[in-house]
Amino acid sequence: MTDRYTKAVEQLAAESETIRLGGIYALERIYADSPRDRDTIGNLLMTFVSAANRNHALKSRWRVRFWPSGLLRSGRRRVRTAARSLTRLRFSQTEAPTYELPAKRAPADVAGAMQVLGRLSPKPQTSISFAGHSVGEVEISGADFRGVEFWSADFSHSTFSGVDFRRAKFNFSDLKFAKFVGCDLRGVTFELADLRSATFMQCEMAGSDFWAANLTSAALPMVDLTDVNLSGAVMRKTGVDPEQMLTANWATEPYVEEDYLLEAVAERTAQLNAVADYPVSPFDNGPNRWLDR
């Protein structure tokens, strides 16, 4: 087993991408055969992906330009102040020019390492996290990334098929033109994420949180938005059906321009106020769900 492990690690350092990919799959086999080596292999694969991440600069400046610094601090007063600032900025998020480089596909060995990390079962004790990573455009299918952190990650133009993302965190992430097909997104947080022109197709999304996310031109065909938090989200040109909008949850109205969606938003807001003991607003002093969260 030691010889197999040593040879696989040597393959990771090879100049040939094909040989490195072979080393990754060899480590996956060792992971299945040797329970005592699972944490080590998990750490090694994450280190391999992280090393590749250093070669790819973050492409989007959207989240850097519009992060309200107070939002990252604790305290109800600071959160309210930051939320007010964000409400004023969210219109600028869709209008201000951004500097974007062309999409760059991730190397096959890096994409393979991510795929293997998603297949590892049982998961290693060490936590898997892609926070802050920008490895390039990847295509991942059938992986298990439940509870994994993707904070401030750049996976724009990537495709995820049949991936289990339950309770994962994509806060502040760059997901422009990303495609989620048949994914389980229940309980996933996309707070302040850049989801312009993203696609969500046949995904389960109950309980997901898109607070202040930029969903301009995003495609959500026949997606059930029941219990999805769209408070403060930018939803220009999404083509969402009014019936979908009426099933969503809001503490503040999402930003939409289409007249037929404005009517749905107004109707839903009236419904929420009718059953609430206080105005539906994130800035009041009542027992507001958003502030409590």
Side-chain angles (χ1 to χ4, degrees):
M1 190 66 68
T2 301
D3 290 342
R4 288 172 59 190
Y5 177 81
T6 302
K7 184 176 180 180
V9 172
E10 290 175 351
Q11 288 180 282
L12 291 184
E15 293 185 4
S16 170
E17 184 179 88
T18 304
I19 294 177
R20 293 197 300 270
L21 193 58
I24 291 168
Y25 293 141
L27 287 171
E28 183 180 17
R29 291 293 301 271
I30 298 171
Y31 185 94
D33 297 339
S34 179
R36 69 177 184 177
D37 293 320
R38 285 174 180 168
D39 285 345
T40 302
I41 292 173
N43 275 324
L44 182 60
L45 290 175
M46 275 306 308
T47 301
F48 182 81
V49 175
S50 297
N53 172 61
R54 289 193 288 270
N55 296 325
H56 296 266
L58 292 179
K59 293 185 291 184
S60 173
R61 295 164 64 182
W62 179 87
R63 56 185 178 280
V64 174
R65 294 183 61 180
F66 296 105
W67 271 358
S69 59
L71 190 67
L72 305 179
R73 305 170 187 156
S74 59
R76 292 169 67 92
R77 180 177 300 176
R78 288 173 177 171
V79 170
R80 285 197 295 270
T81 302
R84 289 191 182 97
S85 300
L86 179 67
T87 302
R88 291 193 295 270
L89 285 172
R90 72 183 191 201
F91 296 95
S92 300
Q93 288 169 359
T94 60
E95 304 298 337
T98 56
Y99 177 71
E100 297 175 17
L101 298 175
K104 184 174 182 179
R105 183 175 292 275
D109 53 345
V110 175
M114 290 189 61
Q115 185 75 57
V116 168
L117 282 166
R119 285 200 299 258
L120 295 183
S121 181
K123 294 297 181 186
Q125 295 297 319
T126 179
S127 60
I128 296 174
S129 173
F130 297 103
H133 280 52
S134 175
V135 298
E137 177 188 350
V138 295
E139 295 183 9
I140 305 294
S141 61
D144 180 357
F145 288 134
R146 284 177 289 179
V148 173
E149 292 191 353
F150 293 86
W151 279 70
S152 301
D154 185 348
F155 286 99
S156 56
H157 298 270
S158 295
T159 301
F160 302 100
S161 303
V163 178
D164 190 344
F165 283 115
R166 279 177 288 176
R167 301 180 305 282
K169 299 183 184 300
F170 284 94
N171 303 30
F172 305 101
S173 291
D174 185 346
L175 295 165
K176 294 189 299 295
F177 296 96
K179 295 181 176 62
F180 297 87
V181 182
C183 295
D184 193 338
L185 301 175
R186 288 176 290 179
V188 176
T189 57
F190 292 95
E191 295 182 2
L192 286 149
D194 189 348
L195 289 156
R196 286 174 288 175
S197 300
T199 300
F200 297 87
M201 185 176 296
Q202 298 177 338
C203 295
E204 295 186 64
M205 302 177 67
S208 55
D209 188 352
F210 290 85
W211 180 79
N214 192 340
L215 287 158
T216 300
S217 301
L220 300 110
M222 301 178 65
V223 171
D224 185 0
L225 296 178
T226 303
D227 294 328
V228 174
N229 181 23
L230 294 174
S231 297
V234 181
M235 301 190 65
R236 299 172 66 245
K237 304 176 183 178
T238 57
V240 176
D241 186 270
E243 293 298 323
Q244 291 177 273
M245 293 290 288
L246 289 175
T247 62
N249 291 330
W250 311 315
T252 57
E253 296 180 5
Y255 171 41
V256 297
E257 290 182 339
E258 296 85 346
D259 291 339
Y260 68 95
L261 286 181
L262 288 172
E263 295 177 3
V265 170
E267 181 179 347
R268 180 59 172 163
T269 303
Q271 292 174 355
L272 292 174
N273 281 315
V275 299
D277 297 328
Y278 52 90
V280 177
S281 168
F283 310 129
D284 60 27
N285 295 318
N288 187 279
R289 180 183 62 185
W290 181 82
L291 283 179
D292 292 339
R293 177 170 59 76

